[in-house]
């Protein structure tokens, strides 16, 4: 839930894959379930992660190795995993989640899984049963949808927040999957593909992915926003 998250990942990939000989394969990346600066774990937004979400010791250990090599000439061990990431999950129900995983590099080898918006406002993985449909609403920049948590500042208002207070607005379109009967795992970048038209000079779109808890809380996993007039860059409209 750090607003610098994607930039940090892009930096790791750029230095590690395209850097100088000294930089290539000499990067380390740590991704925890944290808001900006909250590496000690525990409470993040409105959720409290287990004690093992404290990443201070891991960060200190990896930084110390790199500083020792760069400043003191003590070789670091680059033979092991160079990426650590915390597999997040339900904080109320114990299961095979909320623990650290290690990988040799990032991104992981993966297969993209696509989910589709259905005309009845369901979220499904089957495109065959979808039907062409338009969802329309009035966009009013004088009354923007409130931001609840996410990758934002100030520090005390970011992270996983319950999105229900804004989900009943007329300018929020909600799509929901069937109740998951088993854990669904996704690791890596999440993209939202929208096909939109607007008669406004400019329009902002935000896509949010939430985890609906059994008690009805709609807890934010991640979100992304786009000012569509600048969708091809800020130097051209």
């Amino acid at each position: 839930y750090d607003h610098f998250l994607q930039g940090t990942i892009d930096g790791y990939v750029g230095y590690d894959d395209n850097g100088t000989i000294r930089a290539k394969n000499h990067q380390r990346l740590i991704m925890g379930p944290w808001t900006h600066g909250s590496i000690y774990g525990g409470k993040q937004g409105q959720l409290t992660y287990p004690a093992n979400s404290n990443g201070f010791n891991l960060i200190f250990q990896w930084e110390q190795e790199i500083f020792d090599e760069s400043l003191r000439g003590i070789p670091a061990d680059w033979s092991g995993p160079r990426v650590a990431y915390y597999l997040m999950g339900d904080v109320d129900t114990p299961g095979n989640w909320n623990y650290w995983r290690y990988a040799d590099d990032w991104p992981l080898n993966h297969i993209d899984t696509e989910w589709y918006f259905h005309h009845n406002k369901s979220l499904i993985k089957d495109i065959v049963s979808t039907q062409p449909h338009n969802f329309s609403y009035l966009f009013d920049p004088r009354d923007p949808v409130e931001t609840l948590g996410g990758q934002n500042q100030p520090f005390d208002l970011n992270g996983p927040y319950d999105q229900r207070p804004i989900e009943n607005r007329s300018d929020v379109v909600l799509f929901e999957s069937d109740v998951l009967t088993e854990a669904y795992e996704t690791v890596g970048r999440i993209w939202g593909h929208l096909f939109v038209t607007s008669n406004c000079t400019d329009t902002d779109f935000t896509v949010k992915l939430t985890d609906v808890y059994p008690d009805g809380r709609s807890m934010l996993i991640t979100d992304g926003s786009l000012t569509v007039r600048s969708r091809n860059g800020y130097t051209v409209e």
Side-chain angles (χ1 to χ4, degrees):
Y1 297 96
D2 191 327
H3 51 298
F4 296 124
L5 169 63
Q6 192 58 52
T8 301
I9 296 173
D10 293 343
Y12 168 87
V13 174
Y15 293 131
D16 203 64
D17 294 351
N18 305 313
T20 64
I21 295 177
R22 176 70 177 86
K24 280 187 176 180
N25 301 317
H26 288 82
Q27 305 297 317
R28 285 184 174 165
L29 177 66
I30 300 174
M31 294 175 282
W34 310 314
T35 57
H36 183 69
S38 300
I39 61 174
Y40 294 98
K43 186 173 178 58
Q44 310 286 335
Q46 292 178 330
L47 295 180
T48 301
Y49 285 89
N52 69 353
S53 62
N54 185 334
F56 177 82
N57 288 338
L58 176 61
I59 294 172
F60 186 84
Q61 175 188 341
W62 281 14
E63 283 188 340
Q64 187 69 54
E65 269 195 86
I66 292 174
F67 286 144
D68 283 346
E69 178 176 272
S70 299
L71 303 177
R72 302 173 64 194
I74 302 174
D77 181 9
W78 296 102
S79 62
R82 294 184 293 115
V83 175
Y85 66 95
Y86 192 87
L87 185 68
M88 299 159 51
D90 182 351
V91 299
D92 296 337
T93 307
N96 190 30
W97 48 80
N98 290 330
Y99 68 96
W100 288 97
R101 283 182 176 175
Y102 297 87
D104 293 333
D105 200 6
W106 195 268
L108 306 179
N109 293 329
H110 64 279
I111 298 175
D112 291 331
T113 301
E114 296 177 334
W115 291 70
Y116 300 93
F117 298 146
H118 199 267
H119 64 88
N120 64 2
K121 293 189 177 181
S122 61
L123 186 66
I124 60 176
K125 288 193 286 185
D126 181 13
I127 191 175
V128 176
S129 61
T130 61
Q131 300 177 14
H133 188 81
N134 291 327
F135 292 94
S136 299
Y137 58 86
L138 178 64
F139 171 71
D140 186 352
R142 298 168 300 180
D143 181 26
V145 177
E146 181 182 356
T147 296
L148 293 176
Q151 300 174 9
N152 301 289
Q153 300 286 30
F155 295 139
D156 57 345
L157 294 176
N158 59 356
Y161 269 69
D162 187 355
Q163 302 299 302
R164 286 180 298 177
I166 54 92
E167 286 182 345
N168 61 351
R169 288 178 55 116
S170 62
D171 52 357
V172 173
V173 184
L174 188 65
F175 299 88
E176 193 169 71
S177 74
D178 290 335
V179 175
L180 299 179
T181 57
E182 57 185 22
Y184 182 84
E185 180 179 319
T186 179
V187 176
R189 194 161 188 181
I190 295 173
W191 293 93
H193 298 277
L194 299 181
F195 299 86
V196 299
T197 182
S198 173
N199 63 357
C200 296
T201 303
D202 203 356
T203 312
D204 299 325
F205 288 92
T206 298
V207 175
K208 298 185 178 185
L209 178 65
T210 72
D211 180 14
V212 181
Y213 276 59
D215 61 9
R217 285 175 295 163
S218 182
M219 303 306 299
L220 183 66
I221 296 176
T222 190
D223 59 2
S225 298
L226 180 67
T227 300
V228 296
R229 184 172 61 178
S230 303
R231 63 190 179 278
N232 294 321
Y234 290 104
T235 60
V236 60
E237 292 186 354

